[in-house]
Amino acid sequence: MNIADRIQHLRKVKGVSQEELADKIGVSRQAVSKWESEQSIPDIDKVIIMSTYFDVTTDYLLKGIENPHADEARRPDARIFVIVGTVLDFVGVVIAAALWYEQQLPMALVVGLVFIALGCMVFGVGMINSDPRSKTSAQRTFWIVNVWLIAFIPLSFAYNVLFTGTTAPYPLVADPIIAFALFWLVYITPCLVVVYFQVRQSARG
């Protein structure tokens, strides 16, 4: 792996596009593209800026030499916290729906929201304590998946209170039926917008 490969690898691990990296270090996107395609190499001052930005040594960027103390200071990958947070959010939705379906208990809503809050908390703690190089891509992955889970119970609760007179954590068929269709429109549209922008950002990388 040469310097071009290392720059590209670090950029992709961090989840930023060539344009975003260029903005951070004060060059054009074309310059970053040339570095990654081995048409040119960065000046030493740009190497220093990149080493700080990627949280690696200049020796690693220039020669591929790892910091001998890197393992001691290495933080966990942010994607671990994304996985745990997503599982908790998913479990919250499933448990809330199951409790309500079996017993119609208002507590089902609370239980579901507690799990979702825990999932968001795990994700938040992870963004503070994880490897900075993996945070950006992890954040995008989290929101692409979890926007659907986080929004579902609160929107269902609001819909049911207005149209069915219950506190169910998932939408019940209401009269008029148009209200049920409206719920799915209100739920799906903003979630798709969030997913679109996150995927678009990832594609630019």
Side-chain angles (χ1 to χ4, degrees):
M1 183 182 287
N2 55 29
I3 187 171
D5 296 327
R6 286 190 288 274
I7 292 172
Q8 185 178 64
H9 171 71
L10 290 169
R11 176 178 63 77
K12 289 186 175 181
V13 167
K14 198 171 181 69
V16 296
S17 64
Q18 290 183 343
E19 185 175 354
E20 289 170 320
L21 176 59
D23 288 341
K24 291 291 183 182
I25 60 179
V27 297
S28 67
R29 187 198 64 77
Q30 289 77 12
V32 174
S33 177
K34 287 181 179 180
W35 296 343
E36 293 186 358
S37 60
E38 301 183 66
Q39 296 179 46
S40 65
I41 59 173
D43 296 332
I44 190 63
D45 60 322
K46 302 306 180 187
V47 171
I48 293 171
I49 295 172
M50 280 192 287
S51 71
T52 301
Y53 179 64
F54 290 129
D55 193 28
V56 297
T57 64
T58 54
D59 276 347
Y60 174 74
L61 274 172
L62 292 170
K63 305 174 186 177
I65 299 173
E66 294 278 6
N67 182 346
H69 302 295
D71 288 338
E72 299 174 7
R74 187 170 296 154
R75 294 182 177 184
D77 193 307
R79 288 171 291 190
I80 295 172
F81 297 95
V82 170
I83 293 170
V84 176
T86 300
V87 169
L88 287 170
D89 289 345
F90 179 75
V91 168
V93 172
V94 171
I95 288 180
L99 285 175
W100 179 267
Y101 182 79
E102 290 293 331
Q103 303 178 27
Q104 285 75 52
L105 294 175
M107 185 58 65
L109 184 77
V110 176
V111 172
L113 290 175
V114 166
F115 270 91
I116 288 174
L118 286 173
C120 292
M121 185 178 71
V122 167
F123 171 69
V125 170
M127 291 304 99
I128 295 172
N129 296 300
S130 59
D131 186 338
R133 294 170 296 181
S134 63
K135 285 183 181 180
T136 303
S137 59
Q139 286 173 338
R140 290 173 181 164
T141 301
F142 180 84
W143 289 115
I144 287 172
V145 176
N146 286 269
V147 64
W148 302 94
L149 301 171
I150 294 170
F152 187 73
I153 291 180
L155 285 177
S156 296
F157 170 73
Y159 160 81
N160 283 315
V161 168
L162 289 173
F163 295 103
T164 69
T166 70
T167 57
Y170 55 85
L172 305 175
V173 178
D175 187 19
I177 192 66
I178 189 66
F180 186 68
L182 182 62
F183 164 82
W184 289 107
L185 180 64
V186 171
Y187 169 64
I188 292 173
T189 303
C191 290
L192 282 177
V193 170
V194 172
V195 170
Y196 169 76
F197 281 107
Q198 296 299 328
V199 171
R200 185 179 178 185
Q201 282 289 85
S202 296
R204 290 175 62 187

